[in-house]
């Protein structure tokens, strides 16, 4: 679940456009050609319209992204039958379920004759569909953990109040927007379900012509052939986002990427960057890059250039939107890019597979693809006006939800830099740690914290004792299970709030508490934050009247730095060395895990209060 | 180069690609009766593929009547891009 780079099928380029006949023959070739280059995925689609004609296009677009799609197309409109009496669907064992319910298919009059009931019928339909979908997801959850994608509601091309529909507060335009907002709220409350932005897809393509009236009348297919590839690509991209971790860092080249021209030759005043063409092409690309940073993507630089000159441009050029303080790490110098990007990953404490390279130079892209294949590389077009689109369509940064931590990430990394400068003033590590004035807040998982917990569980590699990945739905189940405790730690210090940085999952067995999961953001290494978590897990084990705390270490290629964590904390080795890891035990009668002296415990008044609100397909 | 031969070859290629049959064994008399793969779904797919290939558009009424390779050839021959 790590590599973000897509592996297109041989001979099938990502951007190449195919005719309808080519889609069909290519889909057949994909189905008939066994091969290990494509990862199998079973996609079930339940829709209020005919999906069969779109299916071959989906198979081809999935293959372009490295997936071999096997599909299950439900009888149209038969949502409850397919899921509730789900023998056929169950036998298919879907890896992902798509639910696409168009309001106009369920009740055409509610949409087309919107004003017959002053919109009342549509408002009721919106609630009815949200209820139905919620129940369907809930029922599906009874037998499957697969993610569910729910299409939202697209606006029709022909609005009932014509060109002035949007001018009337009570008209369809605004009623559909309200219905979509309500749908999003409901879906966010269903574990493992996400909105598939069908409305955004139709809007992006243009609702006029989205449907071919002949295809609709003869076959109940609401998507014209020329739009089917866009639909399939959008769906595949959404599916991929549920199956892989978003990239964490965008690595940018400089010359002819962030500005036009070559800095070393043209100089600070000579590079093309400004408010007129062609400099404005680069400026608008920079703005797109910053919009990624705003939602938590780190920015890094990798360029064959002169470091001082680059720093001068990022600090002084009046038209640079990307400034030096936005950059989390930089490798400027005359060595292979593949080496530069790997060093950037090490600097940032993240895996190289969490990096995405954006470089205008095809030779550099090929070098990184060849020598650092774990790094995702954006296909950059020759024309800089196409850069924002290339960034937007690459999909590597797609993530299902936006957490508080995402919005504060760049300032947090900036604070890390300040912390390093501060650290250099101290002789001893303990003196430095004491000076940080760290405060830890510890709590158990609830609806507010599960999203961030799932993020940490699924993307922490280095400080992770067991590397057990879990979906949000699974974590939610564990958080409610009486024999489990899902515990989190938040840290703040004199440089700011670090957010939630560590998670532990404790499983209560007959006579012991077993630490199923223990992980921490590697930004917190060497700050005794893990001691806080261990102390809490020990206290919970005691409170549950279990006498021993058992820890496990499952080795992976990435987590060797924590192999000796438990012995260091006073645990005894429980058994001899085994291939699948080691177990350690701490007898709580004799010893304890002490709360670290340099970290203050947040007083209960500081902590988030309140019971977890009801979530998870709360069907009646 | 143009002419009926070129059109029929292009059509045969489309029919073969859509239905997954051998291009060389197709004849003008082939229809849903002679080709198992030519069901109602494939008929729609075939029509859409032909429209894209020859850059033309059939009316909904016509689509139902274009039920053999011969009839389709005849219809394409009447107009459209047969170069």
């Amino acid at each position: 679940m790590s590599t973000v780079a897509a592996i297109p099928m041989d001979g099938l380029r990502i951007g190449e456009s195919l005719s309808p006949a080519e889609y069909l023959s290519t889909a057949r070739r994909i189905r008939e050609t066994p091969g290990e280059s494509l990862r199998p995925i079973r996609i079930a689609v339940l829709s209020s319209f005919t999906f069969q004609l779109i299916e071959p296009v989906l198979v081809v677009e999935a293959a372009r992204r490295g997936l071999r799609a096997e599909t299950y197309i439900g009888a149209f409109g038969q949502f409850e039958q397919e899921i509730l009496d789900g023998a056929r669907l169950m036998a298919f064992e879907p890896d992902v379920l798509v639910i696409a319910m168009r309001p106009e298919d369920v009740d055409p009059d509610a949409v087309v004759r919107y004003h017959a009931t002053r919109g009342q019928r549509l408002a009721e339909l919106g609630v009815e569909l949200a209820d139905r979908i919620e129940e369907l997801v809930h029922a599906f959850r009874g037998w499957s953990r697969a993610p569910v994608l729910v299409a939202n509601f697209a606006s029709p091309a022909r609005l009932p109040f014509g060109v002035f529909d949007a001018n009337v507060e009570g008209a369809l335009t605004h009623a559909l927007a309200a219905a979509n907002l309500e749908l999003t709220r409901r879906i966010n409350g269903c574990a493992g379900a996400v909105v598939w932005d069908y409305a955004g897809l139709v809007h992006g393509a243009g609702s006029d012509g989205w449907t071919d009236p002949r295809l609709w009348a003869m076959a109940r297919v609401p998507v014209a052939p020329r739009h089917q590839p866009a639909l399939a690509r959008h769906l595949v991209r959404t599916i991929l986002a549920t199956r892989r971790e978003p990239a964490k860092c965008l690595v940018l080249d400089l010359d002819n990427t962030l500005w036009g021209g070559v800095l070393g030759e043209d100089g600070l005043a000579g590079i093309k960057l400004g408010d007129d063409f062609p400099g404005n092409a680069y400026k608008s690309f920079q703005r797109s890059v910053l919009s990624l940073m705003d939602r938590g993507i780190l920015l890094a630089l990798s360029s064959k250039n002169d470091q001082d000159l680059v720093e001068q441009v990022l600090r002084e050029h009046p038209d640079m939107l990307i400034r030096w303080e936005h950059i989390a790490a930089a490798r400027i110098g005359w060595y292979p890019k593949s080496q530069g990007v790997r060093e950037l990953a090490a600097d940032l404490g993240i895996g190289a597979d969490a990096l995405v390279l954006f470089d205008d130079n095809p030779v550099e892209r090929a070098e990184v693809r060849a020598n650092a294949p774990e790094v995702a590389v954006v296909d950059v077009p020759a024309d800089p006006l196409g850069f924002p689109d290339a960034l937007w369509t690459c999909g590597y940064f797609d993530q299902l939800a936006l957490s508080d931590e995402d919005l504060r990430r760049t300032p947090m990394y900036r604070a890390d830099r300040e912390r390093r400068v501060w650290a250099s003033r101290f002789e001893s590590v303990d003196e430095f740690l004491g000076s940080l004035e760290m405060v830890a807040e510890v709590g158990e998982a609830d609806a507010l914290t599960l999203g961030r917990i799932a993020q940490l569980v699924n993307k922490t590699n280095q400080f992770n004792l067991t590397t057990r990945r879990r979906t949000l739905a699974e974590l939610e189940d564990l958080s409610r299970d009486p024999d489990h405790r899902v515990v989190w730690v938040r840290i703040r210090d004199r440089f700011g709030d670090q957010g939630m940085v560590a998670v532990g999952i404790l499983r209560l067995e007959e006579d012991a508490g077993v630490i199923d999961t223990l992980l921490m953001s590697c930004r917190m290494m060497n700050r005794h934050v893990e001691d806080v978590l261990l102390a809490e897990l020990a206290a919970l084990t005691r409170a549950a009247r279990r006498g021993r705390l058992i820890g496990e270490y499952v080795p992976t290629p990435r987590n060797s730095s924590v192999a000796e964590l438990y012995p260091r904390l006073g645990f005894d080795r429980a058994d001899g060395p085994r291939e699948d890891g080691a177990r350690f035990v701490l007898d709580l009668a004799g010893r304890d895990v002490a709360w670290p002296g340099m970290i203050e415990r947040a007083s209960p008044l500081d902590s988030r209060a309140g019971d977890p609100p009801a979530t998870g397909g709360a069907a009646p | 180069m143009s002419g009926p031969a070129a059109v029929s070859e292009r059509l045969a290629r489309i029919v073969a690609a859509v239905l997954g049959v051998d291009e060389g064994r197709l004849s003008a008399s082939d229809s849903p009766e002679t080709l198992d793969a030519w069901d109602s779904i494939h008929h729609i797919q075939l029509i859409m593929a032909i429209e894209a290939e020859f850059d033309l558009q059939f009316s909904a009424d016509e689509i139902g009547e274009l039920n053999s390779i011969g009839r389709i050839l005849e219809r394409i021959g009447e107009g459209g891009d047969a170069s």
Side-chain angles (χ1 to χ4, degrees):
Chain A
M1 169 104 186
S2 56
T3 315
V4 294
I7 312 152
M9 190 178 168
D10 293 344
L12 202 56
R13 300 277 313 143
I14 291 277
E16 186 189 10
S17 66
L18 300 177
S19 71
E22 286 167 327
Y23 267 113
L24 291 165
S25 57
T26 309
R28 192 172 298 114
R29 180 162 63 87
I30 291 163
R31 287 202 195 89
E32 288 167 1
T33 318
E36 288 165 10
S37 66
L38 299 178
R39 279 169 295 146
I41 178 170
R42 289 185 301 279
I43 304 171
V45 180
L46 304 183
S47 52
S48 59
F49 50 86
T50 307
F51 200 83
Q52 272 84 354
L53 271 75
I54 304 170
E55 192 260 3
V57 186
L58 180 64
V59 168
V60 174
E61 293 299 335
R64 290 202 218 241
R65 294 281 175 186
L67 300 173
R68 173 188 299 283
E70 282 175 48
T71 57
Y72 176 97
I73 310 295
F76 76 78
Q78 308 283 299
F79 300 93
E80 283 75 12
Q81 293 86 332
E82 292 282 1
I83 289 179
L84 300 179
D85 324 319
R88 273 179 64 223
L89 186 57
M90 217 181 282
F92 176 71
E93 295 183 27
D95 294 317
V96 57
L97 172 68
V98 180
I99 297 178
M101 218 183 262
R102 299 197 323 151
E104 57 270 53
D105 298 343
V106 179
D107 184 357
D109 284 342
V111 179
V112 181
R113 298 192 54 203
Y114 178 80
H115 295 288
T117 57
R118 296 167 182 245
Q120 185 60 31
R121 194 154 159 180
L122 185 93
E124 286 165 9
L125 180 63
V127 173
E128 181 199 314
L129 295 186
D131 285 346
R132 263 180 90 183
I133 290 165
E134 219 171 46
E135 284 181 36
L136 288 168
V137 175
H138 189 67
F140 182 67
R141 278 285 162 268
W143 55 269
S144 175
R145 290 269 143 223
V148 182
L149 274 50
V150 178
N152 57 5
F153 311 138
S155 218
R158 308 279 174 255
L159 295 163
F161 205 62
V163 291
F164 282 111
D165 206 89
N167 188 53
V168 175
E169 209 179 303
L172 180 68
T173 299
H174 306 295
L176 276 177
N180 275 324
L181 182 59
E182 175 63 13
L183 183 68
T184 295
R185 288 200 182 108
R186 302 280 202 100
I187 297 301
N188 284 341
C190 294
V194 292
V195 169
W196 170 33
D197 191 12
Y198 180 79
L201 165 69
V202 176
H203 172 80
S207 57
D208 210 357
W210 178 259
T211 299
D212 178 334
R214 300 169 307 153
L215 207 53
W216 173 247
M218 289 184 296
R220 291 189 72 95
V221 178
V223 189
R226 69 190 170 95
H227 289 305
Q228 290 176 7
L231 177 139
R233 278 194 288 272
H234 195 274
L235 185 53
V236 169
R237 180 174 168 178
T238 308
I239 290 170
L240 274 175
T242 66
R243 290 167 63 84
R244 67 184 185 192
E245 281 306 311
K248 296 173 186 167
C249 175
L250 176 62
V251 181
L252 294 154
D253 173 53
L254 297 172
D255 291 334
N256 290 316
T257 297
L258 289 193
W259 53 71
V262 176
L263 180 60
E265 292 165 15
D266 304 328
L268 180 115
I271 56 174
K272 297 187 194 81
L273 184 66
D275 291 322
D276 300 306
F277 186 78
N280 55 4
Y282 296 96
K283 200 165 174 178
S284 79
F285 175 58
Q286 290 199 15
R287 190 169 274 117
S288 302
V289 168
L290 289 175
S291 85
L292 278 182
M293 182 193 79
D294 296 336
R295 35 155 287 202
I297 305 301
L298 299 173
L299 304 184
L301 303 179
S302 167
S303 171
K304 292 178 175 167
N305 240 311
D306 178 74
Q307 164 98 31
D308 292 342
L309 204 48
V310 167
E311 213 176 311
Q312 196 194 354
V313 174
L314 268 79
R315 288 189 194 282
E316 294 173 15
H317 197 294
D319 288 303
M320 278 298 290
L321 299 178
I322 298 175
R323 313 300 293 190
W324 190 249
E325 62 266 26
H326 298 144
I327 303 301
R331 288 279 156 166
I332 316 278
W334 304 90
Y335 43 82
K337 281 250 161 151
S338 54
Q339 182 192 333
V341 292
R342 284 198 169 132
E343 287 172 4
L344 283 172
D347 288 353
L348 294 168
I350 60 181
D353 57 7
L355 301 182
V356 175
L357 176 71
F358 197 104
D359 192 317
D360 69 291
N361 187 336
V363 176
E364 300 288 11
R365 297 201 298 269
E367 193 274 325
V368 171
R369 282 196 175 109
N371 298 322
E374 70 277 24
V375 175
V377 178
V378 178
D379 285 312
V380 179
D383 183 352
L385 287 172
F387 289 2
D389 244 17
L391 192 59
W392 191 84
T393 50
C394 76
Y396 295 130
F397 301 104
D398 290 345
Q399 67 182 44
L400 309 183
L402 193 58
S403 72
D404 206 30
E405 269 74 13
D406 294 327
L407 295 173
R408 288 182 297 132
R409 183 160 300 118
T410 293
M412 282 196 292
Y413 274 77
R414 202 177 309 154
D416 278 355
R417 269 204 324 223
E418 288 169 20
R419 226 171 257 120
R420 279 197 291 273
V421 173
W422 175 259
S424 64
R425 296 169 38 179
F426 295 89
E427 301 264 311
S428 82
V429 175
D430 282 353
E431 212 185 318
F432 161 65
L433 291 179
S435 77
L436 281 177
E437 298 162 15
M438 283 188 278
V439 179
E441 183 190 340
V442 184
E444 289 196 43
D446 60 16
L448 291 173
T449 49
L450 271 169
R452 171 63 178 162
I453 290 170
Q455 247 186 5
L456 285 169
V457 162
N458 289 306
K459 69 181 189 185
T460 307
N461 293 313
Q462 297 178 58
F463 198 110
N464 194 338
L465 275 294
T466 54
T467 320
R468 291 186 181 125
R469 308 302 194 194
R470 287 193 168 94
T471 64
L472 188 62
E474 289 167 339
L475 288 164
E476 189 174 3
D477 286 350
L478 285 183
S479 73
R480 291 172 174 181
D481 186 294
D483 291 328
H484 283 86
R485 304 281 184 275
V486 181
V487 181
W488 50 263
V489 179
R490 291 175 69 95
I491 294 286
R492 62 175 189 269
D493 67 14
R494 64 180 301 149
F495 290 99
D497 192 348
Q498 306 268 25
M500 187 196 296
V501 293
V503 169
I505 300 177
L506 186 70
R507 183 176 70 248
L508 295 170
E509 294 190 347
E510 207 168 314
D511 62 341
V514 177
I515 304 171
D516 169 282
T517 293
L518 185 76
L519 59 86
M520 186 176 77
S521 161
C522 49
R523 287 187 297 117
M524 289 296 115
M525 287 212 206
N526 306 315
R527 287 173 61 179
H528 295 282
V529 173
E530 65 273 30
D531 302 10
V532 167
L533 188 53
L534 259 305
E536 183 67 15
L537 295 175
L540 287 169
T541 303
R542 256 180 223 285
R545 299 178 192 284
R546 307 304 203 268
R548 297 183 305 149
L549 188 57
I550 293 175
E552 294 170 285
Y553 169 67
V554 181
T556 72
R558 306 282 285 276
N559 73 352
S560 57
S561 65
V562 291
E564 295 302 314
L565 176 76
Y566 287 119
R568 178 174 79 69
L569 292 168
F571 284 62
D572 298 315
R573 220 167 268 278
D575 45 25
R578 297 187 320 192
E579 270 184 29
D580 60 342
R583 278 167 81 89
F584 304 87
V585 61
L586 183 74
D587 187 349
L588 293 174
R591 273 169 300 176
D592 205 350
V593 183
W595 183 280
M598 67 285 287
I599 302 180
E600 193 189 326
R601 184 168 194 142
S603 65
L605 284 176
D606 295 345
S607 61
R608 293 160 187 249
D611 294 320
T615 56
Chain B
M1 293 293 287
S2 66
V7 172
S8 66
E9 274 165 31
R10 282 164 67 195
L11 180 63
R13 207 172 62 238
I14 297 295
V15 174
V18 172
L19 302 181
V21 295
D22 186 356
E23 190 178 328
R25 299 178 61 176
L26 291 171
S27 73
S29 61
D30 275 321
S31 71
E33 276 71 52
T34 64
L35 296 171
D36 289 343
W38 196 334
D39 59 16
S40 59
I41 291 245
H42 280 89
H43 184 66
I44 301 278
Q45 289 174 325
L46 182 59
I47 295 297
M48 297 297 147
I50 292 166
E51 289 188 345
E53 170 70 17
F54 294 97
D55 192 22
L56 41 75
Q57 190 167 334
F58 305 116
S59 72
D61 284 341
E62 279 179 307
I63 291 174
E65 291 159 10
L66 294 173
N67 55 2
S68 75
I69 292 185
R71 285 190 176 206
I72 294 169
L73 259 180
E74 208 174 295
R75 171 65 178 81
I76 296 172
E78 287 169 13
D81 165 30
S83 57

